[in-house]
Amino acid sequence: MCSEEVTKKREGRRGVARAKAHCKDCEACDDADCTWCCPERLAALNPLLRLILLVIGMLCVILILVFANISNNSVSSGNLHDIAAVTPREGINVSRAQEILTALCDAYRDGLVSGDSCNRLCFTRKWVVTDYYEAHKTVIVLKDGGQMTVYKSEQPFYTDFPQIDNSKSYEQYSDMVSPMSAGEGMTQRDRTSLSTLIQQPEFILFRLLPLTRVTPKLIGTCGHMYEVESLVAFRMKGYYMNLKGKILVHLMGTLKLLYEFLNEPLQWCAVKFENLGLSADYPKRFVLMDGDMVYTQSKLNSMLKGKPCVKDEDCRIGDCEARCTADLTCSGRSNENLEVFCDKLVNKLFGNNWSRNNKYLLACHDTGSNITKRLNDLRLTWSWNLADV
Ligand SMILES: *[C@@H]1O[C@H](CO)[C@@H](O)[C@H](O)[C@H]1NC(C)=O
Ligand SMILES: *[C@@H]1O[C@H](CO)[C@@H](O)[C@H](O)[C@H]1NC(C)=O
Ligand SMILES: *[C@@H]1O[C@H](CO)[C@@H](O)[C@H](O)[C@H]1NC(C)=O
């Protein structure tokens, strides 16, 4: 664990001072005294000192265990970002992820695809895959130096996408991926890459709607894959209950931004804790990890209105509900983001434990007044308390 420090320790007093300076590398402890916790360092010292240090070391371990136990019960003063730490996932198929990246970089090398992230992604090809996911989307998380980078695509290989054979549409869409075309004529490899990207709704959302401030930042593209800001997945756990207040503020920040998007509220139809991520840049909001079910209001209503139906359930898109009208077509959306947030997130946290003094909780529970009124009251509260989200 601390093998680098062992040699320094042997060098004597000055070595000790230096070893202490390197303590941050010692994963077992996190304060300046962590020298005493490392068995490798202990072995380098004389026997009497060793015995004393062994005792101190054991105390140290006991303290850590006790502290770990306590911190499970009293994280209330903690920071959400610290607690939802990144843990590399076990049992992922690393060779599958490498196969996909190798195919992409081979295509880049052979001049078949392009993108501003390709050079960095393909430079050494020594990928440290920390997570990999392949279902309705392929997601590869890499550790690149000290940073995490996330590559996403709906399909693993660019050849899985049908090629669009319409040169006009490239011009139409070229503004969308400006780093790639930047005024110059587009090459065949740009076209191939672009045609795969524009077939992916999430890419278009991330690219076109950064103004929402609730989608992850798009960093670049390579072929059919797009690189997004790395987020810490927020998975609701029992012991977070002590952080309820903080989580509520994050939820309200996100909800506010959905409602404030230009003149058109964004409609989020896949509301769940697992879809929320923490971004290092934003202290008062969650970011939506998965953008497949986020629509502008007019887009959602165009998908709903006029759709044939026989019952209300036929008019459902995820959490977004609409009514089946008398002429057997769907209405526009009939429920609100607010209602879904209350049902699926806020009430899960607070249950019946709410007071009228908390305006956010009141917005979820004040069934005496209609939803328009509740939303207007909530907007007023936001403008006071969440002006800087
Ligand atoms: C992992 O991926 C490789 C490459 O696609 C594949 O050959 C192998 O069967 C996969 N292993 C598992 C356990 O799925
Ligand atoms: C309700 O609040 C009380 C006291 O604040 C707490 O002990 C209890 O666990 C809470 N119940 C739920 C469901 O959160
Ligand atoms: C809700 O209440 C407001 C007045 O506070 C009223 O103007 C509006 O029509 C009501 N909306 C519904 C859907 O009942």
Side-chain angles (χ1 to χ4, degrees):
M1 192 191 324
C2 301
S3 49
E4 280 178 58
E5 275 79 47
V6 177
T7 49
K8 287 173 187 142
K9 177 65 76 182
R10 289 204 178 97
E11 292 166 21
R13 282 189 109 87
R14 281 177 53 222
V16 172
R18 255 190 293 154
K20 280 200 176 184
H22 282 259
C23 259
K24 287 204 177 67
D25 298 336
C26 179
E27 286 172 11
C29 330
D30 56 9
D31 70 0
D33 282 335
C34 70
T35 311
W36 317 128
C37 300
C38 284
E40 292 95 325
R41 295 178 193 174
L42 226 49
L45 300 174
N46 78 51
L48 180 65
L49 203 54
R50 246 161 90 176
L51 189 67
I52 296 168
L53 293 182
L54 195 65
V55 174
I56 296 173
M58 281 166 71
L59 283 174
C60 184
V61 169
I62 290 166
L63 274 177
I64 288 170
L65 290 177
V66 168
F67 177 75
N69 213 8
I70 290 171
S71 65
N72 266 353
N73 301 322
S74 65
V75 281
S76 49
S77 62
N79 179 308
L80 288 186
H81 291 86
D82 297 341
I83 291 161
V86 188
T87 44
R89 207 150 62 79
E90 273 178 34
I92 57 168
N93 190 343
V94 172
S95 47
R96 173 72 178 164
Q98 277 167 344
E99 178 182 56
I100 290 166
L101 293 175
T102 302
L104 177 59
C105 288
D106 286 351
Y108 172 64
R109 180 198 60 203
D110 299 341
L112 300 173
V113 301
S114 63
D116 49 351
S117 292
C118 288
N119 190 39
R120 208 180 79 227
L121 179 66
C122 302
F123 197 70
T124 62
R125 297 198 181 204
K126 290 201 178 85
W127 301 297
V128 182
V129 179
T130 63
D131 205 351
Y132 171 72
Y133 170 86
E134 188 174 346
H136 73 289
K137 207 176 285 164
T138 299
V139 182
I140 302 176
V141 182
L142 302 173
K143 193 147 198 252
D144 183 3
Q147 281 191 317
M148 307 298 274
T149 58
V150 182
Y151 286 87
K152 297 178 99 173
S153 173
E154 274 183 16
Q155 302 288 343
F157 303 102
Y158 83 95
T159 45
D160 294 332
F161 289 91
Q163 286 295 304
I164 296 175
D165 186 26
N166 175 359
S167 59
K168 277 229 174 65
S169 75
Y170 293 114
E171 268 140 46
Q172 198 176 326
Y173 285 108
S174 63
D175 287 345
M176 197 188 290
V177 226
S178 45
M180 240 183 215
S181 51
E184 298 147 35
M186 291 180 75
T187 61
Q188 185 54 45
R189 56 178 178 269
D190 295 338
R191 289 169 182 235
T192 306
S193 306
L194 188 48
S195 90
T196 59
L197 289 169
I198 62 175
Q199 292 175 59
Q200 305 182 59
E202 186 181 74
F203 169 76
I204 294 176
L205 177 80
F206 289 178
R207 180 74 185 106
L208 291 186
L209 302 184
L211 285 171
T212 60
R213 300 180 291 155
V214 292
T215 53
K217 287 180 199 127
L218 189 67
I219 292 162
T221 66
C222 181
H224 64 298
M225 303 202 88
Y226 47 98
E227 183 186 357
V228 296
E229 168 190 22
S230 157
L231 300 171
V232 176
F234 181 79
R235 298 201 172 84
M236 191 57 208
K237 302 204 179 79
Y239 57 80
Y240 287 168
M241 281 314 217
N242 294 316
L243 293 170
K244 283 192 293 195
K246 222 168 233 178
I247 295 169
L248 184 61
V249 170
H250 277 66
L251 291 175
M252 286 296 142
T254 305
L255 186 60
K256 177 177 187 254
L257 292 170
L258 291 176
Y259 274 108
E260 282 184 351
F261 180 64
L262 304 178
N263 289 327
E264 267 214 286
L266 283 176
Q267 311 292 325
W268 186 26
C269 304
V271 177
K272 50 185 173 191
F273 277 114
E274 296 83 77
N275 255 349
L276 296 171
L278 289 164
S279 161
D281 293 345
Y282 307 133
K284 287 189 187 172
R285 76 185 85 147
F286 287 113
V287 174
L288 313 187
M289 305 270 285
D290 189 327
D292 286 341
M293 300 273 268
V294 182
Y295 311 100
T296 59
Q297 185 162 313
S298 53
K299 169 71 182 170
L300 180 66
N301 284 340
S302 76
M303 289 161 69
L304 287 168
K305 276 185 187 163
K307 187 182 161 204
C309 61
V310 289
K311 51 187 184 322
D312 287 351
E313 283 71 45
D314 300 336
C315 299
R316 209 165 221 253
I317 297 178
D319 296 316
C320 298
E321 294 170 6
R323 271 183 289 276
C324 190
T325 59
D327 63 357
L328 299 184
T329 58
C330 297
S331 68
R333 184 176 185 183
S334 60
N335 65 346
E336 282 281 345
N337 285 327
L338 171 62
E339 292 168 284
V340 184
F341 263 62
C342 291
D343 282 352
K344 299 187 75 180
L345 306 173
V346 178
N347 291 351
K348 288 231 168 77
L349 278 175
F350 288 88
N352 289 323
N353 245 4
W354 62 283
S355 99
R356 299 191 75 84
N357 294 334
N358 187 319
K359 299 286 185 215
Y360 297 153
L361 296 180
L362 188 61
C364 285
H365 286 93
D366 193 9
T367 41
S369 58
N370 75 29
I371 186 75
T372 316
K373 166 116 183 12
R374 277 154 62 192
L375 198 49
N376 286 340
D377 290 348
L378 191 55
R379 286 181 205 273
L380 199 63
T381 310
W382 283 337
S383 66
W384 282 104
N385 296 340
L386 276 177
D388 59 337
V389 63

